[in-house]
Short mmCIF file of all heavy atoms in Angstrom, two decimals:
data_model
loop_
_atom_site.label_atom_id
_atom_site.label_comp_id
_atom_site.label_asym_id
_atom_site.label_seq_id
_atom_site.Cartn_x
_atom_site.Cartn_y
_atom_site.Cartn_z
N MET A 284 129.62 16.42 -61.09
CA MET A 284 129.85 15.39 -62.12
C MET A 284 131.35 15.38 -62.50
O MET A 284 131.90 14.29 -62.60
CB MET A 284 128.98 15.70 -63.36
CG MET A 284 129.05 14.66 -64.42
SD MET A 284 128.22 13.21 -63.80
CE MET A 284 128.07 12.33 -65.30
N VAL A 285 131.89 16.61 -62.69
CA VAL A 285 133.34 16.61 -63.03
C VAL A 285 134.15 16.16 -61.89
O VAL A 285 135.13 15.41 -62.04
CB VAL A 285 133.71 18.10 -63.48
CG1 VAL A 285 135.21 18.17 -63.64
CG2 VAL A 285 132.92 18.47 -64.68
N ALA A 286 133.80 16.51 -60.65
CA ALA A 286 134.55 16.13 -59.47
C ALA A 286 134.47 14.63 -59.34
O ALA A 286 135.49 13.96 -58.96
CB ALA A 286 134.05 16.86 -58.25
N ALA A 287 133.36 13.99 -59.59
CA ALA A 287 133.15 12.55 -59.47
C ALA A 287 134.10 11.84 -60.55
O ALA A 287 134.67 10.82 -60.25
CB ALA A 287 131.78 12.19 -59.70
N CYS A 288 134.14 12.37 -61.71
CA CYS A 288 135.03 11.77 -62.76
C CYS A 288 136.50 11.92 -62.34
O CYS A 288 137.27 10.93 -62.55
CB CYS A 288 134.75 12.46 -64.11
SG CYS A 288 133.18 12.07 -64.83
N ILE A 289 136.87 13.04 -61.90
CA ILE A 289 138.29 13.20 -61.46
C ILE A 289 138.63 12.28 -60.32
O ILE A 289 139.67 11.65 -60.30
CB ILE A 289 138.54 14.70 -61.08
CG1 ILE A 289 138.46 15.57 -62.34
CG2 ILE A 289 139.85 14.87 -60.40
CD1 ILE A 289 138.59 17.04 -62.12
N PHE A 290 137.67 12.15 -59.34
CA PHE A 290 137.91 11.27 -58.22
C PHE A 290 138.05 9.81 -58.73
O PHE A 290 138.86 9.07 -58.21
CB PHE A 290 136.75 11.38 -57.21
CG PHE A 290 136.90 10.46 -56.07
CD1 PHE A 290 137.77 10.71 -55.06
CD2 PHE A 290 136.12 9.30 -55.99
CE1 PHE A 290 137.91 9.88 -53.95
CE2 PHE A 290 136.23 8.42 -54.93
CZ PHE A 290 137.17 8.68 -53.91
N ALA A 291 137.23 9.41 -59.67
CA ALA A 291 137.26 8.05 -60.22
C ALA A 291 138.61 7.79 -60.85
O ALA A 291 139.22 6.75 -60.73
CB ALA A 291 136.11 7.79 -61.16
N VAL A 292 139.07 8.74 -61.65
CA VAL A 292 140.32 8.57 -62.35
C VAL A 292 141.48 8.50 -61.33
O VAL A 292 142.34 7.63 -61.44
CB VAL A 292 140.61 9.72 -63.34
CG1 VAL A 292 141.99 9.70 -63.88
CG2 VAL A 292 139.58 9.62 -64.47
N LEU A 293 141.51 9.37 -60.32
CA LEU A 293 142.51 9.32 -59.32
C LEU A 293 142.48 8.03 -58.48
O LEU A 293 143.48 7.48 -58.15
CB LEU A 293 142.35 10.56 -58.41
CG LEU A 293 142.76 11.88 -58.98
CD1 LEU A 293 142.50 13.01 -58.02
CD2 LEU A 293 144.27 11.86 -59.40
N ALA A 294 141.25 7.58 -58.14
CA ALA A 294 141.12 6.30 -57.43
C ALA A 294 141.65 5.17 -58.26
O ALA A 294 142.37 4.30 -57.75
CB ALA A 294 139.70 6.09 -57.05
N TRP A 295 141.33 5.10 -59.53
CA TRP A 295 141.86 4.08 -60.40
C TRP A 295 143.39 4.13 -60.47
O TRP A 295 144.04 3.05 -60.40
CB TRP A 295 141.30 4.23 -61.83
CG TRP A 295 141.79 3.19 -62.78
CD1 TRP A 295 141.34 1.96 -62.94
CD2 TRP A 295 142.93 3.35 -63.66
NE1 TRP A 295 142.10 1.30 -63.94
CE2 TRP A 295 143.06 2.14 -64.32
CE3 TRP A 295 143.83 4.38 -63.89
CZ2 TRP A 295 144.08 1.92 -65.28
CZ3 TRP A 295 144.82 4.21 -64.81
CH2 TRP A 295 144.97 2.97 -65.52
N ALA A 296 143.99 5.33 -60.58
CA ALA A 296 145.43 5.49 -60.63
C ALA A 296 146.07 4.98 -59.34
O ALA A 296 147.12 4.30 -59.37
CB ALA A 296 145.81 6.93 -60.92
N VAL A 297 145.47 5.27 -58.21
CA VAL A 297 146.04 4.87 -56.90
C VAL A 297 145.98 3.31 -56.79
O VAL A 297 146.90 2.68 -56.35
CB VAL A 297 145.28 5.52 -55.80
CG1 VAL A 297 145.68 4.92 -54.45
CG2 VAL A 297 145.67 7.04 -55.69
N PHE A 298 144.86 2.75 -57.16
CA PHE A 298 144.74 1.34 -56.97
C PHE A 298 145.51 0.54 -57.98
O PHE A 298 145.86 -0.65 -57.73
CB PHE A 298 143.28 0.87 -57.05
CG PHE A 298 142.44 1.28 -55.91
CD1 PHE A 298 141.34 2.04 -56.05
CD2 PHE A 298 142.85 0.88 -54.63
CE1 PHE A 298 140.60 2.41 -54.92
CE2 PHE A 298 142.11 1.25 -53.50
CZ PHE A 298 140.94 1.99 -53.66
N HIS A 299 145.98 1.11 -59.04
CA HIS A 299 146.82 0.42 -60.03
C HIS A 299 148.28 0.89 -59.99
O HIS A 299 149.09 0.54 -60.87
CB HIS A 299 146.30 0.67 -61.44
CG HIS A 299 145.05 -0.07 -61.71
ND1 HIS A 299 143.77 0.39 -61.39
CD2 HIS A 299 144.84 -1.35 -62.23
CE1 HIS A 299 142.88 -0.50 -61.77
NE2 HIS A 299 143.46 -1.54 -62.24
N SER A 300 148.63 1.59 -58.92
CA SER A 300 150.03 2.05 -58.77
C SER A 300 150.91 0.98 -58.14
O SER A 300 150.42 -0.01 -57.63
CB SER A 300 150.06 3.32 -57.97
OG SER A 300 149.75 3.05 -56.61
N PHE A 301 152.23 1.24 -58.07
CA PHE A 301 153.14 0.30 -57.49
C PHE A 301 153.04 0.37 -55.95
O PHE A 301 153.55 -0.53 -55.30
CB PHE A 301 154.57 0.66 -57.96
CG PHE A 301 154.77 0.39 -59.39
CD1 PHE A 301 154.99 1.47 -60.29
CD2 PHE A 301 154.82 -0.89 -59.92
CE1 PHE A 301 155.18 1.24 -61.62
CE2 PHE A 301 154.96 -1.12 -61.25
CZ PHE A 301 155.20 -0.08 -62.15
N ALA A 302 152.54 1.46 -55.42
CA ALA A 302 152.46 1.58 -53.97
C ALA A 302 151.54 0.53 -53.32
O ALA A 302 151.69 0.09 -52.20
CB ALA A 302 152.03 2.99 -53.55
N VAL A 303 150.51 0.14 -54.07
CA VAL A 303 149.47 -0.79 -53.52
C VAL A 303 149.97 -2.21 -53.69
O VAL A 303 149.76 -3.06 -52.84
CB VAL A 303 148.09 -0.55 -54.26
CG1 VAL A 303 147.09 -1.57 -53.81
CG2 VAL A 303 147.65 0.83 -53.96
N HIS A 304 150.58 -2.50 -54.84
CA HIS A 304 151.03 -3.87 -55.17
C HIS A 304 152.48 -4.07 -54.53
O HIS A 304 153.28 -3.24 -54.59
CB HIS A 304 151.04 -4.15 -56.63
CG HIS A 304 149.69 -3.94 -57.26
ND1 HIS A 304 148.62 -4.70 -57.03
CD2 HIS A 304 149.23 -2.98 -58.11
CE1 HIS A 304 147.61 -4.28 -57.67
NE2 HIS A 304 147.96 -3.20 -58.34
N PRO A 305 152.70 -5.32 -54.04
CA PRO A 305 154.03 -5.57 -53.54
C PRO A 305 155.06 -5.59 -54.62
O PRO A 305 154.76 -5.94 -55.82
CB PRO A 305 153.91 -6.98 -52.89
CG PRO A 305 152.69 -7.56 -53.50
CD PRO A 305 151.80 -6.42 -53.90
N ALA A 306 156.25 -5.25 -54.35
CA ALA A 306 157.29 -5.08 -55.38
C ALA A 306 157.89 -6.36 -55.81
O ALA A 306 158.49 -6.51 -56.87
CB ALA A 306 158.42 -4.21 -54.81
N GLY A 307 157.79 -7.44 -55.07
CA GLY A 307 158.37 -8.75 -55.45
C GLY A 307 159.64 -8.96 -54.70
O GLY A 307 159.89 -8.37 -53.63
N THR A 308 160.48 -9.74 -55.24
CA THR A 308 161.81 -10.06 -54.63
C THR A 308 162.74 -8.83 -54.76
O THR A 308 162.87 -8.28 -55.90
CB THR A 308 162.43 -11.27 -55.23
OG1 THR A 308 162.63 -11.06 -56.59
CG2 THR A 308 161.52 -12.49 -55.02
N PRO A 309 163.43 -8.43 -53.80
CA PRO A 309 164.37 -7.32 -53.85
C PRO A 309 165.66 -7.78 -54.65
O PRO A 309 166.05 -8.94 -54.60
CB PRO A 309 164.73 -7.00 -52.45
CG PRO A 309 164.50 -8.23 -51.63
CD PRO A 309 163.35 -8.92 -52.40
N ALA A 310 166.22 -6.85 -55.34
CA ALA A 310 167.37 -7.10 -56.13
C ALA A 310 168.62 -7.23 -55.20
O ALA A 310 168.64 -6.68 -54.15
CB ALA A 310 167.66 -5.97 -57.13
N THR A 311 169.54 -8.06 -55.61
CA THR A 311 170.76 -8.23 -54.86
C THR A 311 171.60 -6.94 -54.96
O THR A 311 171.72 -6.42 -56.09
CB THR A 311 171.56 -9.42 -55.30
OG1 THR A 311 171.87 -9.25 -56.72
CG2 THR A 311 170.79 -10.71 -55.15
N PRO A 312 172.27 -6.48 -53.93
CA PRO A 312 173.05 -5.32 -53.98
C PRO A 312 174.29 -5.54 -54.91
O PRO A 312 174.91 -6.58 -54.84
CB PRO A 312 173.43 -5.02 -52.59
CG PRO A 312 173.22 -6.25 -51.83
CD PRO A 312 172.18 -7.04 -52.57
N ALA A 313 174.65 -4.51 -55.64
CA ALA A 313 175.83 -4.70 -56.52
C ALA A 313 177.09 -4.39 -55.75
O ALA A 313 177.16 -3.54 -54.90
CB ALA A 313 175.74 -3.69 -57.69
N THR A 314 178.12 -5.08 -56.04
CA THR A 314 179.43 -4.90 -55.41
C THR A 314 180.24 -3.80 -56.20
O THR A 314 179.89 -3.50 -57.38
CB THR A 314 180.23 -6.19 -55.34
OG1 THR A 314 180.51 -6.58 -56.68
CG2 THR A 314 179.52 -7.26 -54.58
N VAL A 315 181.24 -3.35 -55.63
CA VAL A 315 182.12 -2.38 -56.28
C VAL A 315 182.79 -2.96 -57.48
O VAL A 315 182.95 -2.35 -58.52
CB VAL A 315 183.15 -1.79 -55.25
CG1 VAL A 315 184.14 -0.90 -55.98
CG2 VAL A 315 182.51 -1.12 -54.15
N ARG A 316 183.12 -4.29 -57.40
CA ARG A 316 183.76 -4.97 -58.53
C ARG A 316 182.82 -5.04 -59.70
O ARG A 316 183.23 -4.83 -60.83
CB ARG A 316 184.20 -6.36 -58.04
CG ARG A 316 184.93 -7.14 -59.13
CD ARG A 316 185.37 -8.55 -58.62
NE ARG A 316 186.18 -8.38 -57.46
CZ ARG A 316 187.51 -8.44 -57.53
NH1 ARG A 316 188.12 -8.54 -58.67
NH2 ARG A 316 188.20 -8.37 -56.44
N GLU A 317 181.54 -5.40 -59.40
CA GLU A 317 180.57 -5.47 -60.50
C GLU A 317 180.28 -4.11 -61.14
O GLU A 317 180.21 -4.03 -62.37
CB GLU A 317 179.25 -6.06 -59.97
CG GLU A 317 179.29 -7.53 -59.57
CD GLU A 317 178.12 -7.93 -58.88
OE1 GLU A 317 177.19 -7.13 -58.55
OE2 GLU A 317 177.98 -9.18 -58.61
N LEU A 318 180.21 -3.09 -60.31
CA LEU A 318 180.02 -1.73 -60.83
C LEU A 318 181.17 -1.30 -61.72
O LEU A 318 180.96 -0.73 -62.80
CB LEU A 318 179.80 -0.76 -59.67
CG LEU A 318 179.53 0.66 -60.00
CD1 LEU A 318 178.26 0.83 -60.80
CD2 LEU A 318 179.44 1.50 -58.82
N GLY A 319 182.42 -1.56 -61.29
CA GLY A 319 183.59 -1.21 -62.02
C GLY A 319 183.60 -1.98 -63.38
O GLY A 319 183.96 -1.44 -64.43
N ALA A 320 183.25 -3.25 -63.32
CA ALA A 320 183.23 -4.08 -64.53
C ALA A 320 182.21 -3.56 -65.56
O ALA A 320 182.51 -3.45 -66.73
CB ALA A 320 182.97 -5.55 -64.20
N VAL A 321 181.05 -3.17 -65.08
CA VAL A 321 180.03 -2.64 -65.96
C VAL A 321 180.47 -1.29 -66.59
O VAL A 321 180.33 -1.05 -67.76
CB VAL A 321 178.70 -2.52 -65.25
CG1 VAL A 321 177.73 -1.64 -66.06
CG2 VAL A 321 178.12 -3.87 -64.97
N LEU A 322 181.02 -0.44 -65.72
CA LEU A 322 181.42 0.87 -66.22
C LEU A 322 182.60 0.74 -67.20
O LEU A 322 182.67 1.48 -68.25
CB LEU A 322 181.92 1.76 -65.06
CG LEU A 322 180.86 2.37 -64.20
CD1 LEU A 322 181.43 3.16 -63.06
CD2 LEU A 322 179.96 3.31 -65.02
N MET A 323 183.54 -0.14 -67.01
CA MET A 323 184.67 -0.27 -67.88
C MET A 323 184.37 -1.15 -69.11
O MET A 323 185.14 -1.09 -70.06
CB MET A 323 185.87 -0.83 -67.12
CG MET A 323 186.39 0.08 -66.04
SD MET A 323 186.59 1.81 -66.55
CE MET A 323 188.01 1.63 -67.60
N ASP A 324 183.33 -1.94 -69.11
CA ASP A 324 183.00 -2.73 -70.22
C ASP A 324 181.95 -2.10 -71.15
O ASP A 324 182.15 -1.96 -72.33
CB ASP A 324 182.43 -4.16 -69.82
CG ASP A 324 183.54 -4.96 -69.17
OD1 ASP A 324 184.77 -4.74 -69.48
OD2 ASP A 324 183.14 -5.97 -68.49
N SER A 325 180.82 -1.67 -70.55
CA SER A 325 179.69 -1.19 -71.33
C SER A 325 179.64 0.34 -71.51
O SER A 325 179.10 0.83 -72.49
CB SER A 325 178.40 -1.58 -70.67
OG SER A 325 178.38 -3.05 -70.53
N TYR A 326 180.26 1.07 -70.57
CA TYR A 326 180.08 2.50 -70.54
C TYR A 326 181.42 3.25 -70.58
O TYR A 326 181.58 4.22 -69.91
CB TYR A 326 179.29 2.95 -69.32
CG TYR A 326 177.90 2.38 -69.27
CD1 TYR A 326 177.57 1.34 -68.46
CD2 TYR A 326 176.91 2.92 -70.10
CE1 TYR A 326 176.26 0.83 -68.40
CE2 TYR A 326 175.61 2.41 -70.10
CZ TYR A 326 175.30 1.37 -69.24
OH TYR A 326 174.02 0.89 -69.21
N VAL A 327 182.37 2.74 -71.37
CA VAL A 327 183.68 3.37 -71.43
C VAL A 327 183.58 4.75 -72.07
O VAL A 327 184.20 5.77 -71.51
CB VAL A 327 184.70 2.49 -72.22
CG1 VAL A 327 186.00 3.19 -72.42
CG2 VAL A 327 184.85 1.16 -71.47
N LEU A 328 182.95 4.89 -73.14
CA LEU A 328 182.89 6.20 -73.80
C LEU A 328 182.17 7.24 -73.00
O LEU A 328 182.67 8.32 -72.81
CB LEU A 328 182.26 6.06 -75.22
CG LEU A 328 182.27 7.34 -76.08
CD1 LEU A 328 183.63 7.83 -76.31
CD2 LEU A 328 181.47 7.09 -77.35
N PRO A 329 180.97 6.98 -72.48
CA PRO A 329 180.31 7.97 -71.65
C PRO A 329 181.14 8.33 -70.41
O PRO A 329 181.19 9.47 -69.95
CB PRO A 329 178.97 7.35 -71.21
CG PRO A 329 178.72 6.35 -72.23
CD PRO A 329 180.04 5.85 -72.73
N LEU A 330 181.84 7.36 -69.82
CA LEU A 330 182.68 7.59 -68.64
C LEU A 330 183.82 8.57 -68.98
O LEU A 330 184.13 9.44 -68.28
CB LEU A 330 183.18 6.27 -68.10
CG LEU A 330 183.94 6.32 -66.79
CD1 LEU A 330 182.98 6.75 -65.65
CD2 LEU A 330 184.54 4.95 -66.46
N GLU A 331 184.41 8.35 -70.12
CA GLU A 331 185.55 9.21 -70.57
C GLU A 331 185.02 10.62 -70.92
O GLU A 331 185.63 11.65 -70.63
CB GLU A 331 186.27 8.61 -71.76
CG GLU A 331 187.07 7.42 -71.40
CD GLU A 331 187.83 6.82 -72.53
OE1 GLU A 331 187.81 7.43 -73.62
OE2 GLU A 331 188.53 5.82 -72.37
N VAL A 332 183.85 10.75 -71.57
CA VAL A 332 183.30 12.03 -71.88
C VAL A 332 182.97 12.81 -70.63
O VAL A 332 183.29 14.02 -70.54
CB VAL A 332 182.05 11.88 -72.77
CG1 VAL A 332 181.30 13.20 -72.94
CG2 VAL A 332 182.46 11.32 -74.11
N ILE A 333 182.42 12.15 -69.62
CA ILE A 333 182.11 12.78 -68.41
C ILE A 333 183.44 13.26 -67.68
O ILE A 333 183.48 14.35 -67.12
CB ILE A 333 181.26 11.91 -67.44
CG1 ILE A 333 179.90 11.76 -67.99
CG2 ILE A 333 181.24 12.42 -66.04
CD1 ILE A 333 179.06 10.74 -67.29
N GLY A 334 184.43 12.44 -67.76
CA GLY A 334 185.72 12.86 -67.20
C GLY A 334 186.34 14.06 -67.85
O GLY A 334 186.79 14.97 -67.17
N LEU A 335 186.20 14.11 -69.14
CA LEU A 335 186.70 15.30 -69.92
C LEU A 335 185.85 16.53 -69.61
O LEU A 335 186.41 17.63 -69.39
CB LEU A 335 186.66 15.06 -71.45
CG LEU A 335 187.74 14.09 -71.92
CD1 LEU A 335 187.52 13.77 -73.45
CD2 LEU A 335 189.12 14.66 -71.69
N MET A 336 184.56 16.38 -69.44
CA MET A 336 183.68 17.52 -69.13
C MET A 336 184.01 18.07 -67.72
O MET A 336 184.08 19.28 -67.52
CB MET A 336 182.18 17.13 -69.19
CG MET A 336 181.76 16.95 -70.68
SD MET A 336 180.10 16.36 -70.80
CE MET A 336 179.16 17.45 -69.78
N LEU A 337 184.25 17.13 -66.76
CA LEU A 337 184.58 17.58 -65.42
C LEU A 337 185.94 18.29 -65.42
O LEU A 337 186.13 19.25 -64.66
CB LEU A 337 184.56 16.38 -64.47
CG LEU A 337 183.17 15.85 -64.12
CD1 LEU A 337 183.29 14.56 -63.29
CD2 LEU A 337 182.39 16.85 -63.39
N THR A 338 186.89 17.76 -66.16
CA THR A 338 188.20 18.42 -66.24
C THR A 338 188.07 19.85 -66.85
O THR A 338 188.69 20.75 -66.34
CB THR A 338 189.14 17.52 -67.12
OG1 THR A 338 189.24 16.25 -66.49
CG2 THR A 338 190.57 18.14 -67.15
N ALA A 339 187.27 19.97 -67.92
CA ALA A 339 187.10 21.29 -68.50
C ALA A 339 186.43 22.24 -67.52
O ALA A 339 186.73 23.38 -67.46
CB ALA A 339 186.30 21.13 -69.79
N ALA A 340 185.44 21.74 -66.77
CA ALA A 340 184.78 22.56 -65.76
C ALA A 340 185.75 23.00 -64.66
O ALA A 340 185.70 24.15 -64.24
CB ALA A 340 183.60 21.79 -65.18
N LEU A 341 186.61 22.10 -64.24
CA LEU A 341 187.60 22.43 -63.25
C LEU A 341 188.57 23.50 -63.75
O LEU A 341 188.85 24.51 -63.04
CB LEU A 341 188.37 21.21 -62.78
CG LEU A 341 189.42 21.37 -61.74
CD1 LEU A 341 188.76 21.81 -60.42
CD2 LEU A 341 190.19 20.15 -61.55
N ILE A 342 189.01 23.40 -64.96
CA ILE A 342 189.96 24.38 -65.55
C ILE A 342 189.26 25.71 -65.68
O ILE A 342 189.79 26.79 -65.40
CB ILE A 342 190.50 23.85 -66.89
CG1 ILE A 342 191.43 22.68 -66.64
CG2 ILE A 342 191.22 25.00 -67.61
CD1 ILE A 342 191.84 21.92 -67.91
N GLY A 343 187.97 25.70 -66.16
CA GLY A 343 187.21 26.92 -66.28
C GLY A 343 186.96 27.59 -64.91
O GLY A 343 187.06 28.85 -64.79
N ALA A 344 186.72 26.78 -63.88
CA ALA A 344 186.56 27.37 -62.51
C ALA A 344 187.86 28.03 -62.03
O ALA A 344 187.81 29.06 -61.39
CB ALA A 344 186.05 26.29 -61.56
N VAL A 345 189.00 27.42 -62.33
CA VAL A 345 190.25 27.98 -61.91
C VAL A 345 190.54 29.27 -62.68
O VAL A 345 190.96 30.23 -62.05
CB VAL A 345 191.42 26.96 -62.13
CG1 VAL A 345 192.76 27.57 -61.97
CG2 VAL A 345 191.31 25.81 -61.17
N ILE A 346 190.23 29.34 -63.94
CA ILE A 346 190.46 30.50 -64.72
C ILE A 346 189.57 31.66 -64.23
O ILE A 346 189.99 32.84 -64.10
CB ILE A 346 190.23 30.21 -66.23
CG1 ILE A 346 191.38 29.36 -66.72
CG2 ILE A 346 190.17 31.52 -67.05
CD1 ILE A 346 191.15 28.87 -68.13
N ILE A 347 188.32 31.38 -63.91
CA ILE A 347 187.35 32.38 -63.45
C ILE A 347 187.82 32.87 -62.07
O ILE A 347 187.75 34.01 -61.71
CB ILE A 347 185.96 31.87 -63.39
CG1 ILE A 347 185.44 31.67 -64.79
CG2 ILE A 347 185.00 32.75 -62.59
CD1 ILE A 347 184.12 30.96 -64.93
N ALA A 348 188.35 31.94 -61.24
CA ALA A 348 188.73 32.32 -59.87
C ALA A 348 190.00 33.14 -59.82
O ALA A 348 190.24 33.83 -58.81
CB ALA A 348 188.87 31.05 -59.01
N MET A 349 190.82 33.02 -60.83
CA MET A 349 192.10 33.74 -60.79
C MET A 349 191.86 35.26 -60.97
O MET A 349 190.97 35.68 -61.66
CB MET A 349 193.02 33.30 -61.95
CG MET A 349 193.60 31.95 -61.75
SD MET A 349 194.71 31.32 -63.01
CE MET A 349 194.78 32.53 -64.23
N LYS A 350 192.58 36.02 -60.18
CA LYS A 350 192.48 37.46 -60.29
C LYS A 350 193.42 37.99 -61.28
O LYS A 350 194.60 37.51 -61.39
CB LYS A 350 192.74 38.07 -58.88
CG LYS A 350 191.77 37.75 -57.85
CD LYS A 350 192.09 38.44 -56.57
CE LYS A 350 191.10 38.06 -55.50
NZ LYS A 350 191.37 38.67 -54.21
N GLU A 351 192.96 38.99 -62.04
CA GLU A 351 193.89 39.54 -63.03
C GLU A 351 194.86 40.49 -62.33
O GLU A 351 194.51 41.27 -61.46
CB GLU A 351 193.10 40.39 -64.03
CG GLU A 351 192.20 39.48 -64.93
CD GLU A 351 191.46 40.32 -65.95
OE1 GLU A 351 191.85 41.46 -66.21
OE2 GLU A 351 190.43 39.81 -66.48
N LYS A 352 196.10 40.44 -62.75
CA LYS A 352 197.11 41.30 -62.20
C LYS A 352 197.27 42.51 -63.12
O LYS A 352 197.56 42.31 -64.28
CB LYS A 352 198.47 40.55 -62.03
CG LYS A 352 198.35 39.42 -61.04
CD LYS A 352 199.69 38.79 -60.90
CE LYS A 352 199.60 37.64 -59.96
NZ LYS A 352 200.91 36.97 -59.75
N ARG A 353 197.07 43.73 -62.57
CA ARG A 353 197.22 44.83 -63.44
C ARG A 353 198.32 45.71 -62.85
O ARG A 353 198.66 45.71 -61.66
CB ARG A 353 195.90 45.69 -63.29
CG ARG A 353 194.75 44.97 -63.94
CD ARG A 353 193.49 45.83 -63.97
NE ARG A 353 192.39 45.11 -64.53
CZ ARG A 353 191.23 45.52 -64.61
NH1 ARG A 353 190.86 46.79 -64.09
NH2 ARG A 353 190.24 44.83 -65.13
N ASP A 354 198.92 46.39 -63.77
CA ASP A 354 200.01 47.32 -63.39
C ASP A 354 199.40 48.58 -62.77
O ASP A 354 198.59 49.22 -63.39
CB ASP A 354 200.82 47.72 -64.64
CG ASP A 354 201.66 46.52 -65.12
OD1 ASP A 354 202.04 45.63 -64.31
OD2 ASP A 354 201.89 46.45 -66.41
N THR A 355 199.82 48.91 -61.56
CA THR A 355 199.34 50.06 -60.92
C THR A 355 200.42 51.12 -60.68
O THR A 355 200.55 51.75 -59.68
CB THR A 355 198.75 49.67 -59.54
OG1 THR A 355 199.75 49.02 -58.77
CG2 THR A 355 197.56 48.79 -59.66
N GLN A 356 201.23 51.35 -61.70
CA GLN A 356 202.32 52.29 -61.59
C GLN A 356 201.91 53.65 -61.98
O GLN A 356 201.19 54.07 -62.73
CB GLN A 356 203.52 51.83 -62.42
CG GLN A 356 204.13 50.56 -61.86
CD GLN A 356 205.24 50.05 -62.74
OE1 GLN A 356 205.59 50.67 -63.80
NE2 GLN A 356 205.82 49.01 -62.33
#
């Protein structure tokens, strides 16, 4: 009984999924110019924050990679 219920739920999920139904018309591919315009118009602050985080990560990686110089006299 439990197996039949689980099978029914899974069958319903498969028949109502996007894999069974056609997706419709495909979207037009975005150009680099459109992508740049969207990033610089709508997402300026997140873009700058990500740039600062990547810069901080790069500086941190350089600091970790540097070897300490010790006096061995």
